[in-house]
Amino acid sequence: MAGVLDSVNQRTQLVGENRLELLLFRLRGRQVYGINVFKVKEVLQCPKLSSIPNSRAMVRGVAHIRGETIPIIDLGLAIRMPPIPAEEVSTSFVIITEYNRRTQGFLVSGVDRIINMNWEDILPPPKGAGGEVYLTAVTKIDDKIIEIIDVEKILSEVSPLESNVTESVLHRSGETDRGASLPILVVDDSTVARRQIERCLTAIGIKVVTKNDGKQALDLLKEMTSDGSKATDHFSMMISDVEMSEMDGYTLVTRCKSDANINALYVMLHTSLSGVFNNAMVQKVGANDFMAKFSPDELAERVMEILDQA
């Protein structure tokens, strides 16, 4: 138990400090990529893979790891790069991750190191890169550009999540007219995630305003309350991702709770980050609620409950 608590304490030192740890890795070629360490469960030499009939080409097979059967996705092929050759698979590495309540492995050519960074040094992809790139952010380390993969976009293509609210929840939402409710501010750096949340909330009659990262959201809230009004005069609540370029969700919450004009705004952290650290993190920064991505029914029902109580 002491070991677990020490681990929680070490991780939570980053919370609210706008810092993160990145695991750096390579696919084919010299380009270096990054993934948030919080999403990584394990890194190991690629185990023996069993093929899956009729699976997508990017799913190289499944592996049996610690009692789980885990799909192994060729990360290069998933972002439309050449796949790892069959003869190199056994000498490649698998990064076991947990996203959106699911465990999967990503096949990569090599794993480099873990670095500690400030979210302010993590920048959105260049605007000229187009809307179909598989990146949420870029950064620079040792004069080299590091690309941070949009894993949620990849997983939405490999194994799409149900993004529609069921009829039973829609029926319950129709029992209350929310047309006059204030909009909800949704903050997420993944285009896929923003669309999922917006579709879910508009289905139950709620207006949505979206921002791409914590800095954009905080700037908007400060601008709207610069006349002395309160954030609750403009929004019914805020739903924010955790890992975002420039300012993460934990830091966004910390800054909001320290501003007298914003601190009464109800904040739900809605993230694909999973693990034993979430409760400690949420409590430390003062968020009102936490929900793991992505269940449209759960999100819709929780939001309706919060608005009805308010």
Side-chain angles (χ1 to χ4, degrees), residues 18 119-120 122 213-216 218 242-249 251-253 255:
N18 211 33
W119 273 110
E120 292 175 355
I122 310 294
D213 60 59
K215 185 177 184 302
Q216 287 186 10
L218 185 62
V242 168
E243 57 165 358
M244 298 177 289
S245 57
E246 298 199 68
M247 182 184 292
D248 70 359
T251 303
L252 171 62
V253 175
R255 301 278 176 85

Side-chain angles (χ1 to χ4, degrees), residues 126-201:
K127 291 184 178 179
E132 294 305 312
V133 295
Y134 289 84
L135 304 177
T136 57
V138 296
T139 190
K140 184 179 282 189
I141 300 170
D142 300 331
D143 294 324
K144 295 179 181 178
I145 297 296
I146 309 298
E147 299 182 350
I148 300 175
I149 302 290
D150 187 348
V151 176
E152 288 177 272
K153 179 176 174 63
I154 292 170
L155 295 179
S156 73
E157 297 177 357
V158 176
S159 179
L161 291 169
E162 177 56 57
S163 59
N164 294 319
V165 181
T166 61
E167 286 297 326
S168 61
V169 175
L170 288 175
H171 178 73
R172 288 198 295 276
S173 73
E175 295 174 356
T176 303
D177 181 12
R178 294 186 175 83
S181 298
L182 293 172
I184 290 177
L185 177 59
V186 172
V187 191
D188 202 301
D189 65 347
S190 169
T191 303
V192 169
R194 287 198 304 275
R195 287 173 182 166
Q196 288 173 335
I197 300 168
E198 186 169 12
R199 187 183 303 118
C200 169
L201 297 180

Side-chain angles (χ1 to χ4, degrees), residues 41 62-70 96 102-104:
K41 298 177 69 176
V62 296
H64 301 283
I65 301 171
R66 309 197 192 290
E68 284 189 90
T69 301
I70 299 172
I96 307 297
R102 299 180 181 180
T103 300
Q104 54 280 309

